[in-house]
Amino acid sequence: MKPIELVFFLSLVLQICSVTGNGPVPVIDHVEGSVVLPYSLSVPVREAYWDFPCNGHRVKVAEFRDQKFSITREEFRSRMDCSDNGTSLMIRNLRMNDSGIYTALIYDTEQRRHEISYNLTVFKLVPKPEIKWEKKWNEDGQCYYTLNCSVQSDSPALSYSWMYRYNNSEYQHYANGSTIQISAHKNTREFLCLVQNPVNEENTAFVVSTCPEKGNKRIEEVLILSVITSVCFLAAVFGFLILRKSRLVKKNHDIIYTGIGGFPLKSTNQNVCNQNGTNRKPLLYPETTYVDVKR
């Protein structure tokens, strides 16, 4: 049992053992859990009634009469049960709106009236925490971390605390609160964010490793910048060479032919006679034509 639960349990036991009408007995549990609102008498019980606040009024939710237990409110149907002749009430599958003050009015066979109240508080289970971190350097060049722990919950009953350890050693308390600042250490440390409410708790771990000094970090930045600059320069030179080569290839293929000259066909200077003895046009024969090509 967790310490915070033990405190509430002991408080409940002490108040039940000394019921004097000084106020409701506090009872806590979580959503979908179960609680028992106990009370016992040394004499037989004739009847018992349980009421609960609803819309500003107190209404009867269950009763025990003639050795029979009955539930009178629909929202508690199949979620309530009793024991000890109706003096102890059990509620299962708790919901957030089950929170409130439950009062039992009990009448024994000797016509005496007994009354006890319980203040039931139902909490949501704590979700898994999330750690956000940031690394910075101070004016002295020392590295430090800022860790912020948070959960997706609107519950006002949450508490935050931090624990730490080296390697696999035992956890030790570090600080309370949702945000801490820690300086980088020579050895790796593990920090644990613990978020809890009165009924349960969750945690998340974060490993804080060493980080380089500010001077070394500056050298790393300069080296990275130099490498990027060199790569860009080589890429530009390579692109220029490829472009120049493509232009030369194109120039060699683009040949323009101009001043193409030809020579006409020449005659044989001989006349050819027809069958009737008359002359006709000179006989032409082809002659080799030379082409003058200029680039």
Side-chain angles (χ1 to χ4, degrees):
M1 181 177 292
K2 300 180 179 66
I4 193 168
E5 294 179 350
L6 182 60
V7 171
F8 277 93
F9 177 75
L10 292 176
S11 175
L12 174 62
V13 172
L14 290 175
Q15 294 191 52
I16 291 177
C17 293
S18 58
V19 175
T20 58
N22 291 331
V25 178
V27 180
I28 61 171
D29 212 293
H30 59 81
V31 173
E32 297 183 357
S34 300
V35 294
V36 176
L37 311 180
Y39 189 66
S40 61
L41 293 175
S42 58
V43 295
V45 175
R46 181 167 57 89
E47 57 188 16
Y49 303 92
W50 288 87
D51 62 31
F52 176 74
C54 180
N55 297 326
H57 303 281
R58 300 201 64 83
V59 296
K60 184 171 62 176
V61 295
E63 64 180 9
F64 180 82
R65 296 180 62 185
D66 301 327
Q67 301 301 310
K68 293 182 180 180
F69 177 75
S70 60
I71 301 171
T72 57
R73 294 291 296 183
E74 186 63 31
E75 61 266 32
F76 292 103
R77 191 76 61 187
S78 74
R79 295 196 299 124
M80 274 188 175
D81 205 348
C82 77
S83 60
D84 299 326
N85 294 324
T87 61
S88 296
L89 185 68
M90 174 184 288
I91 308 175
R92 297 182 296 271
N93 298 325
L94 288 171
R95 305 169 183 172
M96 289 296 295
N97 54 10
D98 290 341
S99 297
I101 298 177
Y102 294 79
T103 301
L105 296 176
I106 304 168
Y107 299 90
D108 61 29
T109 54
E110 298 179 2
Q111 304 301 319
R112 287 181 299 186
R113 180 178 182 270
H114 307 266
E115 180 177 342
I116 185 172
S117 296
Y118 299 88
N119 186 4
L120 173 63
T121 303
V122 181
F123 292 90
K124 293 180 180 179
L125 293 175
V126 178
K128 189 74 172 176
E130 178 185 3
I131 296 178
K132 295 182 179 180
W133 62 276
E134 185 179 13
K135 181 170 62 175
K136 291 184 178 180
W137 282 262
N138 59 20
E139 296 179 354
D140 298 329
Q142 295 179 338
C143 173
Y144 67 92
Y145 287 82
T146 299
L147 306 183
N148 179 66
C149 184
S150 62
V151 294
Q152 296 293 329
S153 175
D154 55 357
S155 174
L158 295 176
S159 63
Y160 294 81
S161 61
W162 292 86
M163 305 181 75
Y164 77 100
R165 69 177 179 178
Y166 293 97
N167 299 325
N168 294 322
S169 61
E170 294 292 330
Y171 278 107
Q172 303 178 47
H173 178 74
Y174 184 80
N176 294 324
S178 60
T179 303
I180 59 173
Q181 282 191 348
I182 52 178
S183 59
H185 202 269
K186 293 182 179 179
N187 298 321
T188 299
R189 291 177 293 175
E190 181 179 302
F191 282 80
L192 190 73
C193 171
L194 182 66
V195 184
Q196 59 184 347
N197 62 16
V199 293
N200 87 306
E201 63 183 36
E202 281 289 348
N203 62 77
T204 298
F206 180 83
V207 177
V208 176
S209 58
T210 59
C211 58
E213 296 181 358
K214 191 173 183 180
N216 294 339
K217 184 174 182 292
R218 178 60 180 170
I219 293 175
E220 291 179 0
E221 293 176 350
V222 171
L223 290 176
I224 293 174
L225 182 61
S226 300
V227 171
I228 294 175
T229 304
S230 300
V231 171
C232 293
F233 176 76
L234 292 175
V237 172
F238 185 70
F240 173 77
L241 293 176
I242 292 177
L243 180 62
R244 186 171 181 273
K245 183 177 180 180
S246 63
R247 288 181 176 178
L248 290 175
V249 172
K250 183 177 180 181
K251 184 176 180 181
N252 291 336
H253 284 82
D254 294 344
I255 300 175
I256 302 175
Y257 296 92
T258 60
I260 300 177
F263 301 93
L265 296 176
K266 295 182 179 180
S267 66
T268 59
N269 295 324
Q270 296 179 0
N271 293 327
V272 179
C273 296
N274 293 330
Q275 294 180 355
N276 54 10
T278 60
N279 293 332
R280 64 177 184 178
K281 293 182 180 180
L283 180 64
L284 299 179
Y285 63 91
E287 188 177 72
T288 302
T289 302
Y290 299 92
V291 179
D292 182 17
V293 179
K294 296 182 180 179
R295 291 187 179 181

